[in-house]
């Protein structure tokens, strides 16, 4: 199978109770592809400016991330600045400079057109059509969204939910989008909007997978110190989709394991600032933590 | 083995988005013993006034709850009134009338003195000593606490944590008591205060079990409509301790299963107002839901 991730490759400036980092490498496409790289050879469609460091490109390539779909354009790379409180769920956006991402019309390389899994990470729902007609017939079309699109393009988002197979949403987004306070009711409502699968990410409380006729839940890895929560959701998506891509079939057993691998990869992402944890993370550690999840959840 | 529960048997007036009920039967001892009654024959130490309905006594007895330790005193039964918002975690206490519970000095029947498991449900920490010297040598001494004792008797509570084996706490209580925002850090800190086991109850997110060298997690049953959250924590404790009492040994496998049964019983408690769900709940339904937890959590 093959996995294409359409998302941002960016700079983040991040402040958490554990410190501050200026203009470090981040972005949904970056976190997602790094997480997926432990299972498959993910392909990234995105854009950066000329200021994006070669060392970061080299690192992504060393993790076997395929960057033929990453354009380098004149100008500056997308830059997000955010601050987290002691409760890592409380995040304030200090600044968003879209830069080259502003007019980004993602062009999908011909070699990517036959992708089995396509993931649209936080893409403007009105931009989906342009992207999707460049693919033939993905077996799994997945998307994520953000509060901004829910509040400004609710109708377009609802329309897109009717055509995708899988939605990733965090608890806040699921409540906003469904109007349901109870997360189970929210997840069930979202499945009713169209997707076969809804993955509801709950941060420190793990994640729930809703299908038409089943619910599966996975815990978060017990982590006493969240250094930097940035990218946890994208790493979850990358672990989930990367595992599914490698597994090659969407049977329920694989969906369950994919959710555990999602939680595993998210748990590593938050152990250090930005993508730093991925610089030392190897496949054996990923498998080791997967086994820890068995001990954590088996009875 | 045998299980003694020292706690309140009370009237509750409850308002939730699903309705209002006046002076229905509740109390920590009531919920806990009903939940435990699916596994063992729990013994209750408590006090009610002459106004407590015979029908409720008869119901508890029909569930094989041993009430030799329940005193009936002149005066009125403890009455709590509370209101829940749309988010069932948001609870406001409207009124607390201690009545006969005010001067309650729990007398433990001689037949209960050899109990293997003793559970002190929300008891004033300064009252523990009086109760505990009436028991010989319980194999498992468990307690719960409430925000009120944490805020008014923190030192006494810390002292009691040094002598018990197991603490039940919800997320708010665990944070308050430990001073840690992160729930994993909070659970680990509480184990450091003395108990061999700390059960951190997270409502809709399930529960975590912390031991000296392990963590186990259980989800909450996916429930789209929480009719009345009252007693969920007490039902969790009852399911947990009742199962352990029946299992007869405190090996880790039993601890894990006890946590799942705790979550199972809590999930039933919230499906109707007060103790109503227990009026129709049978052992087969409890076992059925335990099996559902396997499907919910296995991968």
């Amino acid at each position: 199978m093959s996995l294409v991730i359409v998302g941002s490759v960016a700079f983040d400036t991040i402040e958490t109770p554990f410190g501050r980092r200026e203009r470090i490498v981040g972005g949904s496409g970056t976190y997602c592809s790094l997480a997926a790289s432990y299972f498959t050879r993910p392909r990234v469609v995105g854009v950066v400016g000329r200021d994006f460091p070669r060392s970061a490109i080299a690192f992504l390539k060393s993790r076997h991330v395929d960057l033929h779909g990453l354009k380098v354009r004149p100008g500056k790379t997308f830059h997000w600045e955010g601050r987290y409180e002691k409760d890592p769920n409380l995040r304030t956006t200090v600044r968003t400079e879209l830069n080259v991402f502003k007019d980004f019309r993602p062009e999908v390389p011909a070699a990517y057109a036959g992708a089995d899994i396509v993931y649209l990470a936080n893409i403007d729902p009105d931009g989906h059509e342009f992207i999707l007609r460049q693919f033939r017939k993905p077996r799994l079309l997945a998307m994520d969204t953000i509060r901004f699109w829910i509040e400004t393009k609710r109708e377009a988002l609802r329309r897109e939910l009717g055509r995708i197979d899988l939605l990733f949403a965090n608890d806040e987004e699921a409540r906003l989008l469904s109007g349901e306070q109870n997360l189970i009711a929210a997840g069930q409502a979202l499945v009713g909007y169209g997707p076969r699968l809804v993955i509801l990410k709950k941060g420190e409380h793990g994640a729930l997978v809703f299908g038409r006729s089943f619910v599966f839940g996975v815990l978060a890895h017990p982590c006493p110190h969240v250094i930097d929560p940035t990218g946890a959701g994208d790493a979850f998506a990358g672990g989930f989709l990367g595992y599914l891509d490698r597994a090659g079939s969407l049977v329920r057993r694989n969906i369950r394991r994919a959710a555990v691998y999602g939680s595993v990869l998210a748990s590593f992402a938050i152990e250090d600032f930005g993508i730093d944890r991925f610089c030392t993370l190897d496949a054996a550690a990923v498998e080791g933590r997967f086994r820890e999840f068995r001990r954590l959840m088996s009875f």
Side-chain angles (χ1 to χ4, degrees), chain A:
Chain A
M1 306 240 296
S2 71
L3 164 65
V4 173
I5 297 155
V6 186
S8 61
V9 178
F11 286 128
D12 289 340
T13 293
I14 292 160
E15 200 173 312
T16 86
F18 291 91
R20 182 179 165 89
R21 294 290 184 282
E22 306 260 355
R23 286 170 63 81
I24 56 175
V25 169
S28 59
T30 310
Y31 281 104
C32 185
S33 63
L34 283 172
S37 74
Y38 293 86
F39 308 98
T40 187
R41 195 186 167 123
R43 297 165 156 191
V44 175
V45 174
V47 64
V48 292
R50 294 246 162 87
D51 57 350
F52 196 72
R54 285 188 189 186
S55 59
I57 299 282
F59 173 59
L60 286 161
K61 284 183 176 168
S62 77
R63 290 272 346 135
H64 306 291
V65 176
D66 179 334
L67 295 177
H68 287 98
L70 183 70
K71 296 273 178 270
V72 183
R73 290 275 153 78
K76 288 165 103 179
T77 300
F78 178 18
H79 179 204
W80 174 80
E81 181 171 347
R83 194 174 56 229
Y84 297 88
E85 309 301 322
K86 223 167 142 191
D87 175 352
N89 300 311
L90 299 176
R91 173 165 113 165
T92 312
T93 290
V94 177
R95 181 161 50 142
T96 306
E97 296 164 354
L98 290 174
N99 298 331
V100 295
F101 201 71
K102 188 160 188 280
D103 302 307
F104 177 46
R105 297 264 287 173
E107 281 159 43
V108 177
Y112 291 10
D116 298 287
I117 303 179
V118 173
Y119 176 49
L120 306 177
N122 305 343
I123 300 295
D124 178 348
D126 284 327
H128 283 189
E129 179 59 32
F130 176 80
I131 300 167
L132 293 177
R133 65 178 181 233
Q134 300 176 68
F135 288 100
R136 282 197 286 277
K137 206 180 171 339
R139 288 171 58 189
L140 188 80
L141 179 53
M143 66 175 272
D144 193 356
T145 190
I146 49 173
R147 188 183 178 114
F148 181 72
W149 299 130
I150 299 171
E151 288 177 342
T152 59
K153 299 206 174 180
R154 179 179 285 268
E155 283 315 304
L157 208 50
R158 284 287 293 269
R159 180 194 68 220
E160 293 309 301
L161 289 178
R163 79 151 111 188
I164 62 160
D165 302 296
L166 188 160
L167 172 70
F168 292 97
N170 69 24
D171 38 12
E172 183 196 43
E173 293 153 2
R175 287 187 172 121
L176 270 175
L177 200 47
S178 68
E180 296 280 355
Q181 170 68 25
N182 178 296
L183 289 176
I184 307 301
Q188 291 172 345
L190 293 178
V191 168
Y193 293 168
R196 274 188 288 153
L197 290 170
V198 170
I199 320 289
L200 210 159
K201 298 172 293 179
K202 306 193 295 170
E204 64 177 323
H205 302 299
L208 294 169
V209 180
F210 294 88
R212 294 241 187 281
S213 60
F214 79 104
V215 185
F216 171 67
V218 60
L219 295 164
H221 186 254
C223 173
H225 305 291
V226 177
I227 302 298
D228 174 13
T230 312
D234 302 311
F236 188 104
F240 187 100
L241 298 174
Y243 174 77
L244 274 189
D245 193 54
R246 184 179 78 186
S249 124
L250 306 176
V251 296
R252 202 170 291 174
R253 179 168 170 275
N254 289 344
I255 301 286
R256 290 165 179 272
R257 293 190 169 192
V260 177
Y261 277 112
S263 201
V264 164
L265 270 297
S267 77
F268 284 117
I270 63 177
E271 287 181 351
D272 206 343
F273 276 97
I275 59 169
D276 281 5
R277 185 64 183 89
F278 292 106
C279 297
T280 53
L281 182 65
D282 61 20
V286 170
E287 289 310 311
R289 190 156 291 179
F290 183 84
R291 288 191 298 273
E292 282 182 49
F293 270 78
R294 286 219 183 280
R295 288 194 290 277
L296 180 66
M297 291 175 60
S298 298
F299 61 89

